[in-house]
Structures are given as structure tokens and as C-alpha cells.
Amino acid sequence: MNRTEVAKVLGRIKSHYNYFTFEDYTIDEWLRYLKPYENYDVNLKLDSYFDDKKERPPTIKYLVTYLQTPEQKRANKNDFKIACNLCQKFMTLNEYDNHYDKCSSINYLLNIFKKNKMNVKYEELEKLDDGKFNSVYKKYESKGSDKNVNDKNGI
């Protein structure tokens, strides 16, 4: 947050608590604690506080408790684990988008192979590098699921 944003937060507090006053040094002190956080997050926390209709103005400690800095949010995104709903493998949230695209493509190919009585395993397709996988996908996607594609040599 910057100084202007902190002054607006303090102004919002004053509008809910008429006896709440602040000076330049108050803005500077609150800025010292709120600077690492995003304006949006602090204001959401403040909205929540106002919704609870508390009798006293919020403290700095209340506003920053459980908030995360942008750096902490990025780090947590890298640490957050999620399971693919197609194959049930766990991975980080950052890895999920790329994985899901390939996983759904593999499942599409497996359906084509199954309809054409070809015995191809998920793991065979998964271990292919992206270039080889894309060429296999294009080859069988263009042939379609209703044609005979009994050509496992292309995998």
C-alpha cells in the first residue's frame, strides 16, 4: 500500500467511527505496517470488520492478521498441491494447467484407441515428450474416432 491508500483506509474508519481521529504521523505509522500488503486485501478486511458492526475501530493488528503479501501469495501458489480430476495425480497449482491439457488429450486418444481395439496405456502416452506427443495426437485426431486406426507403430 502507499500513503494515499492508507489515508483512505483511515478516512473510511473515521466515517464509521466519528470519534476516530488521525494526523500525518498516524498515516505514517499505519503505512509502516500496511505497506507490504495490497490495498484490495486490506479494504476487504476492513469491509468485513464494518459488516460485524463492532463498537471500536479496527487496529492495525486486526487488519494485517491472516493477510499475505504478494510474495507470500506467489510462494503459496507454488506450494499448493492439487489432484488432477482425470488421473488423480498430485501436482502444484502452477503445474496443473499444463498437466490438465495433456491429460485430457491423452484421455481423448485413449478413447479413440479403445474404440479401435488398440491396447495403449496412459503411461505410454504420458512419458512422451511434448513434441512426440503432439505429433501422435495430430495423427490420430485427424483420423477421427469412427475410422479404423489400427496403427500402434505410430506411438
Side-chain angles (χ1 to χ4, degrees):
M1 293 188 72
N2 62 38
R3 193 172 199 287
T4 303
E5 292 167 336
V6 170
K8 286 180 182 179
V9 164
L10 292 171
R12 288 188 66 203
I13 294 170
K14 175 144 182 62
S15 72
H16 286 263
Y17 302 94
N18 292 333
Y19 58 88
F20 181 82
T21 60
F22 62 94
E23 306 291 331
D24 281 345
Y25 67 86
T26 311
I27 297 171
D28 293 337
E29 186 64 16
W30 280 59
L31 176 60
R32 206 174 106 207
Y33 291 97
L34 297 178
K35 189 174 188 172
Y37 301 101
E38 294 177 324
N39 184 42
Y40 178 79
D41 293 338
V42 171
N43 277 287
L44 274 180
K45 191 83 178 262
L46 191 57
D47 290 341
S48 172
Y49 191 87
F50 292 154
D51 288 345
D52 290 342
K53 299 185 184 344
K54 307 231 186 207
E55 292 181 28
R56 300 173 56 96
T59 62
I60 296 170
K61 181 175 174 53
Y62 172 83
L63 290 177
V64 299
T65 300
Y66 303 118
L67 288 187
Q68 293 182 334
T69 65
E71 294 79 21
Q72 290 169 324
K73 288 179 184 179
R74 280 191 294 278
N76 287 343
K77 188 175 180 185
N78 291 333
D79 293 340
F80 186 75
K81 300 287 185 192
I82 188 169
C84 174
N85 64 336
L86 300 174
C87 68
Q88 306 310 314
K89 292 183 181 175
F90 280 90
M91 65 213 66
T92 65
L93 190 57
N94 283 343
E95 298 167 329
Y96 183 76
D97 287 337
N98 289 334
H99 169 83
Y100 187 82
D101 289 343
K102 187 171 183 179
C103 191
S104 61
S105 297
I106 290 172
N107 283 321
Y108 172 76
L109 288 176
L110 290 174
N111 284 329
I112 291 173
F113 296 150
K114 184 178 179 181
K115 287 179 183 179
N116 290 281
K117 298 177 180 30
M118 295 173 63
N119 188 19
V120 178
K121 300 210 180 306
Y122 180 95
E123 293 76 20
E124 292 178 66
L125 295 171
E126 183 183 36
K127 71 181 178 183
L128 296 175
D129 65 59
D130 288 344
K132 179 70 173 161
F133 178 80
N134 288 335
S135 67
V136 169
Y137 184 84
K138 286 178 184 170
K139 178 179 179 179
Y140 289 102
E141 177 194 36
S142 65
K143 292 185 179 188
S145 60
D146 57 346
K147 296 182 180 173
N148 191 351
V149 292
N150 286 323
D151 179 19
K152 189 175 176 183
N153 296 330
I155 299 176

